[in-house]
Amino acid sequence: MTSVHPAPVRVFAAPPAPAPAPAPARARPGAVLAVIAAGGLGAIALWWAGTPSVHGLGDWLTGAGRITGLLAGYGFVVLVALMARIPPLERGVGADRLARWHAMGGRYVVSLVVTHGLLITWGYAVSAHTGVLGQATTLLLSYPDVLAATVAALLLVGVGISSARAARRRLRYETWYFLHFYTYLAMALAFSHQFATGAEFMADLRARIAWSALYAVVGAALLGYRFVTPVRQAVRHRLSVEAVRPEADGVVSIVVTGRHLAELRAEAGQFFRWRFLTRDLWWVSAPYSLSAPPGADRLRITVKALGDHSAALAALRPGTRVVTEGPYGAMTPSARRHRKVLLVAGGVGITPLRALFQALPAAAGDLTLVYRARREADVVFREELERLAEDRGARLWILTGTRAELGGDPLTLLRRHVPDIARHDVYLCGPPGMTDAVHAELRAARVPRRQIHHESFEF
């Protein structure tokens, strides 16, 4: 644990406080889950309304297959909606939690799709008194859009495999990102299959209209927030790179300037998806957090070279045009519930917490930042952090060294250094292993979940 010696450096200045604006809409996580569950019950109700009776094993198997198919089709819509970057969801639920819900839901949807195919084939085979393999061949060759649905299922399974943690570690971010576009093709093929062969839709016009409206609304949100909004922001704000500054080994800060940036209503702790319009980078939109409070005419991000895209940013030239999506994320000052605040950062996770360390309102002694880095050379913003700690009367602990050198992981001893930790709001950001350990320590210290604000760096 290092001592703090303030250094005479200029801290990236926060802008003057703007005039108060109406608070943006924020969805409550519990309400979002309730709506998702209600939609699932509605999908099951479609089967119930379209099934007058069930007789025999074949009908039971076919009915179960239809239910799983409806839930899989509904699950497609939910997965896309969670990642459509709808502002109330991003602000209220948070991008990190939405990503976890999306990953968990993806596993359920893949399981439902596979189960649907197996149950339908088995049920038809029992009813027709034929073998399962023969019935599968008949379905593929004779029923409309079943072949397309099979292709959709295979695409979805492939995307699911690429998203498994073991596979993700071996994939470049760019590869994983583009593989996910096949989800949209799978969704289109599945939609066509549902209307061509789904008993719930073939004879019920109201069901067809409602199901089509559900897909249309989510598709419009996806198109609006992921494609139209970035273009509109690019025209309105005219962002460009002002400077690229080295911060540490393999770490650079990028200062971006533009017009009317207050209209973005960005907060410290949030992130944007950035698209730098160079020949090699224009086709990738990557998420990076603000590393300083947003200014009236400039934004700053700080990036560590962890892949091809992030490594290439060090070579950006001033004047490079930038397109953004955002802001996203719920790890903001407005999420705070208590007077005292503890910030815990690991590695490049310091970037959003650096911005929060400057932006969070706090009396002397109420704000603490714990920053864990493997080596002294990996510490980013040391002089800025020390200056902020001095100016704000905050506590700053920078912990460097390996676990062997420190005699264990010092972050698991937070309770000793912050004895009233349960009365703090805790903002946590860093690598998954570190955040998991700190989260467990916080829960053992009886810190309520609602007081733990977390962002991960898993894509």
Side-chain angles (χ1 to χ4, degrees):
M1 189 178 299
T2 66
S3 59
V4 177
H5 299 287
V9 298
R10 183 178 72 85
V11 174
F12 193 89
R26 296 176 184 270
R28 295 182 177 274
V32 174
L33 291 176
V35 170
I36 292 173
L41 293 175
I44 295 174
L46 286 177
W47 170 82
W48 182 269
T51 307
S53 61
V54 179
H55 302 286
L57 178 61
D59 278 0
W60 280 108
L61 291 171
T62 303
R66 287 167 57 193
I67 290 172
T68 52
L70 285 167
L71 289 175
Y74 172 68
F76 266 126
V77 178
V78 172
L79 292 180
V80 172
L82 291 176
M83 291 289 101
R85 298 167 195 160
I86 301 171
L89 289 181
E90 294 285 342
R91 296 190 193 101
V93 180
D96 184 69
R97 185 181 294 175
L98 288 172
R100 292 199 302 270
W101 289 359
H102 177 82
M104 180 175 64
R107 292 190 287 270
Y108 285 127
V109 169
V110 170
S111 300
L112 286 169
V113 167
V114 173
T115 303
H116 163 71
L118 294 175
L119 288 173
I120 286 290
T121 305
W122 189 9
Y124 277 32
V126 170
S127 297
H129 305 289
T130 62
V132 172
L133 291 178
Q135 185 62 48
T137 302
T138 300
L139 288 172
L140 285 171
L141 300 179
S142 303
Y143 281 68
D145 287 318
V146 170
L147 181 59
T150 303
V151 173
L154 293 174
L155 287 172
L156 193 64
V157 170
V159 171
I161 292 172
S162 73
S163 297
R165 182 168 295 185
R168 281 208 314 260
R169 293 195 186 104
R170 293 171 172 79
L171 287 176
R172 296 165 54 208
Y173 172 81
E174 294 81 5
T175 302
W176 172 86
Y177 180 79
F178 279 102
L179 282 174
H180 263 62
F181 280 110
Y182 285 109
T183 303
Y184 303 133
L185 175 58
M187 185 175 178
L189 293 173
F191 181 80
S192 174
H193 163 68
Q194 289 166 349
F195 270 24
T197 61
E200 294 77 15
F201 305 112
M202 295 176 66
D204 190 337
L205 178 60
R206 291 177 301 176
R208 291 171 69 92
I209 292 173
W211 202 253
S212 298
L214 178 65
Y215 272 69
V217 168
V218 173
L222 179 74
L223 179 65
Y225 291 118
R226 295 195 66 168
F227 298 97
V228 175
T229 296
V231 173
R232 179 180 58 81
Q233 288 185 349
V235 173
R236 174 65 174 167
H237 301 296
R238 297 186 180 275
L239 296 174
S240 63
V241 174
E242 180 183 71
V244 179
R245 301 168 183 161
E247 298 284 0
D249 186 19
V251 180
V252 296
S253 284
I254 302 167
V255 179
V256 175
T257 60
R259 309 181 307 169
H260 315 298
L261 298 190
E263 296 175 3
L264 295 172
R265 304 172 79 175
E267 298 182 72
Q270 291 188 305
F271 69 95
F272 288 78
R273 300 190 71 91
W274 303 84
R275 191 184 301 271
F276 296 94
L277 303 186
T278 70
R279 184 178 62 182
D280 298 326
L281 300 176
W282 67 268
W283 49 276
V284 175
S285 173
Y288 299 112
S289 298
L290 297 176
S291 61
D297 60 352
R298 55 176 41 83
L299 304 170
R300 186 181 78 174
I301 60 173
T302 302
V303 180
K304 183 176 179 63
L306 297 173
D308 293 344
H309 184 273
S310 53
L313 298 185
L316 286 175
R317 295 181 178 180
T320 300
R321 295 297 298 273
V322 184
V323 177
T324 61
E325 301 171 51
Y328 302 125
M331 195 175 67
T332 64
S334 56
R336 175 183 182 179
R337 295 170 178 265
H338 288 263
R339 178 172 59 87
K340 295 185 176 183
V341 177
L342 171 64
L343 310 175
V344 184
V348 76
I350 187 59
T351 53
L353 299 192
R354 153 64 184 86
L356 286 166
F357 195 49
Q358 182 175 352
L360 278 166
D366 288 343
L367 181 61
T368 302
L369 170 61
V370 179
Y371 177 15
R372 178 80 169 94
R374 184 178 297 274
R375 303 175 302 158
E376 189 67 27
D378 295 330
V379 175
V380 184
F381 308 129
R382 175 183 284 277
E383 293 182 342
E384 290 187 16
L385 294 172
E386 291 177 346
R387 176 64 178 272
L388 284 169
E390 180 192 30
D391 291 347
R392 309 203 62 199
R395 293 186 293 176
L396 171 64
W397 296 338
I398 299 178
L399 312 174
T400 59
T402 65
R403 295 187 181 187
E405 293 169 344
L406 297 171
D409 186 353
L411 291 177
T412 61
L413 303 176
L414 286 173
R415 280 179 285 180
R416 295 186 184 179
H417 301 298
V418 188
D420 59 343
I421 194 170
R423 290 188 291 169
H424 284 65
D425 270 275
V426 182
Y427 291 78
L428 173 62
C429 190
M434 187 214 84
T435 55
D436 290 346
V438 173
H439 195 277
E441 175 76 3
L442 294 172
R443 295 297 294 143
R446 301 183 182 277
V447 179
R449 293 184 188 277
R450 65 180 179 275
Q451 293 171 213
I452 304 174
H453 315 289
H454 170 240
E455 292 276 4
S456 80
F457 276 78
E458 290 185 286
F459 61 80

